[in-house]
Structures are given as C-alpha cells and as structure tokens.
Amino acid sequence: EPEVTQTPSHQVTQMGQEVILRCVPISNHLYFYWYRQILGQKVEFLVSFYNNEISEKSEIFDDQFSVERPDGSNFTLKIRSTKLEDSAMYFCASSEVLAGKSEQFFGPGTRLTVL
Amino acid sequence: GENVEQHPSTLSVQEGDSAVIKCTYSDSASNYFPWYKQELGKGPQLIIDIRSNVGEKKDQRIAVTLNKTAKHFSLHITETQPEDSAVYFCAASTDDKIIFGKGTRLHILP
C-alpha cells in the first residue's frame, strides 16, 4: 500500500539554526500539506501546496517557514531560524485532490526538538 | 476561520461497551468531516469520514452522524476492543485544509 514517508524521524537542533524536514508524498497525489502537533495538543494546519505554489497557509506559517518541491518526489518544510516553541511533531500529508474531496494520507511525522 | 470543539478529552470504557465522541464546528461552509485515529508514535490515520450531504455512515463497528443544522457530528464505536485504545481526532474541512479538534484519548478497560 502506498504511504507518505518522512525523514528524519527525529531532529534535534539548537535555537536559531535552520532545519529542513523532508517528505515523500504518495506518487500520484497532487496536493501536499504540512501540519504540526505540539506535545499533547491537537494537530494544527500549517500550509497546503498545489501546482508548485502555496494554496493556503495558517497564521503559524510566518516568514520563518517555507515549503518547496525541489524535484518530482520530495516536499520539504524549512524553518529558517528555529525557536524553542517550534519543538513539535511535524506531519506531512498528501491527497489526490482537494482536502475536502479526498482522503489526506499522513506520514509518520518528524519530531523536532529545539534546544 | 473554522473552529472545532471535541468532547470528552478522555474517555474510559469497558471492553465490549460503546464509546461516543462528540464534536461541533463553526464554519457552515465545511463540507467534509473526517475522523482520525492516532496511535503512539504514529501519524493520524483516517478511520471514517462523512460529507455534508449525508447524515449517517457506518463501517463495521464504527459509525458517524452529522447534524448540519446544529453543526454537530459524532463518532460511535460499538463492541470496543483493546486495539481501539488510541487518541481520536475529529476534523472539519472546506477544500484546502483540515481543522482538527483537540482529540479524545480513549482507554479500553479489560
């Protein structure tokens, strides 16, 4: 069964450093998303991406965040200068069509720890 | 924007009994309501979903109901089993994003 994969599973970084979280969405999917989950809290939408551009983003997704699809398979989330409060699980998801019209498949997540 | 409220935050039921989780949403434009199960160390997994043109949907031991007028939707799990223990999230979606509730930690007691 096809699945979304994410690397690394755990990333530890110093405050102020840049991190790149990587995702490989399901191959025939066209819509890509990033969510985050602070420990013990709900999953929060960050950004959706379609046709090589951001289609929607939340208030959380400020200038410190960026997304990119550098090639035909990877989808990345970059945090330019990490803050302590960026510590969370980051989930990538993909769907065949728009979120409201088809299932979003979630990856296993990357745990980001900012020290 | 959309706001999804979910209750209860924790639920313990005896194995074999039923569990009910309730959610409300605020944006009448939401048209898709998925439910996710999250096990420890894993990402959310879709277990069932319902669209706004349907009032009820069932899949084996799991059922969802939707009341568009009241903006309520619920998850019902019957004949609960130990493997049902997990965190369950309701969510509401328009087209571009999914807004999650805060989650319900379900414990199935032996």
Side-chain angles (χ1 to χ4, degrees), chain A residues 37 42 56 99-101 103, chain B residues 38 51 94-97 101:
Chain A
Q37 185 180 32
K42 67 178 177 180
E56 187 155 357
K101 294 181 170 55
E103 178 180 353
Chain B
Q38 186 178 29
R51 298 189 181 278
T94 50
D95 283 338
D96 272 357
K97 61 182 183 286

Side-chain angles (χ1 to χ4, degrees), chain A residues 55-71:
Chain A
S55 51
E56 187 155 357
K57 59 183 180 179
S58 72
E59 295 172 350
I60 303 167
F61 194 88
D62 62 21
D63 292 344
Q64 293 299 312
F65 291 88
S66 63
V67 289
E68 192 178 28
R69 188 153 162 83
D71 53 42

Side-chain angles (χ1 to χ4, degrees), chain B residues 65-98:
Chain B
T65 58
L66 171 66
N67 182 331
K68 277 186 62 181
T69 304
K71 299 195 184 75
H72 290 175
F73 57 117
S74 301
L75 176 73
H76 303 251
I77 306 174
T78 58
E79 300 171 19
T80 51
Q81 299 169 3
E83 54 265 37
D84 295 331
S85 291
V87 178
Y88 291 81
F89 292 97
C90 65
S93 174
T94 50
D95 283 338
D96 272 357
K97 61 182 183 286
I98 290 177

Side-chain angles (χ1 to χ4, degrees), chain A residues 13-14 17 19 21 35 42 53 56 58 63 65-66 71 80 86 88 95 102 114:
Chain A
T13 189
Q14 294 291 323
Q17 294 297 303
V19 294
L21 310 182
Y35 293 83
K42 67 178 177 180
E53 58 184 29
E56 187 155 357
S58 72
D63 292 344
F65 291 88
S66 63
D71 53 42
R80 288 190 184 82
D86 293 328
S95 63
S102 75
V114 182

Side-chain angles (χ1 to χ4, degrees), chain B residues 12-81:
Chain B
S12 296
V13 299
Q14 291 293 138
E15 183 179 346
D17 288 351
S18 296
V20 179
I21 301 170
K22 297 183 178 182
C23 290
T24 61
Y25 63 101
S26 61
D27 188 351
S28 56
S30 290
N31 54 13
Y32 174 62
F33 304 91
W35 286 86
Y36 290 88
K37 177 181 181 181
Q38 186 178 29
E39 296 175 288
L40 196 62
K42 296 184 179 180
Q45 299 293 313
L46 182 74
I47 55 172
I48 195 167
D49 56 15
I50 190 167
R51 298 189 181 278
S52 59
N53 58 342
V54 175
E56 185 173 351
K57 183 177 176 180
K58 190 173 182 180
D59 181 4
Q60 299 182 344
R61 296 187 296 108
I62 296 173
V64 290
T65 58
L66 171 66
N67 182 331
K68 277 186 62 181
T69 304
K71 299 195 184 75
H72 290 175
F73 57 117
S74 301
L75 176 73
H76 303 251
I77 306 174
T78 58
E79 300 171 19
T80 51
Q81 299 169 3

Side-chain angles (χ1 to χ4, degrees), chain A residues 11-62:
Chain A
Q11 174 86 48
V12 181
T13 189
Q14 294 291 323
M15 189 170 59
Q17 294 297 303
E18 174 183 288
V19 294
I20 297 176
L21 310 182
R22 291 183 167 80
C23 169
V24 179
I26 294 173
S27 61
N28 64 330
H29 285 186
L30 300 177
Y31 294 80
F32 315 111
Y33 313 85
W34 283 101
Y35 293 83
R36 80 171 184 191
Q37 185 180 32
I38 295 170
L39 186 64
Q41 298 187 24
K42 67 178 177 180
V43 178
E44 299 174 290
F45 169 78
L46 292 179
V47 65
S48 59
F49 190 86
Y50 168 71
N51 200 25
N52 281 320
E53 58 184 29
I54 291 173
S55 51
E56 187 155 357
K57 59 183 180 179
S58 72
E59 295 172 350
I60 303 167
F61 194 88
D62 62 21

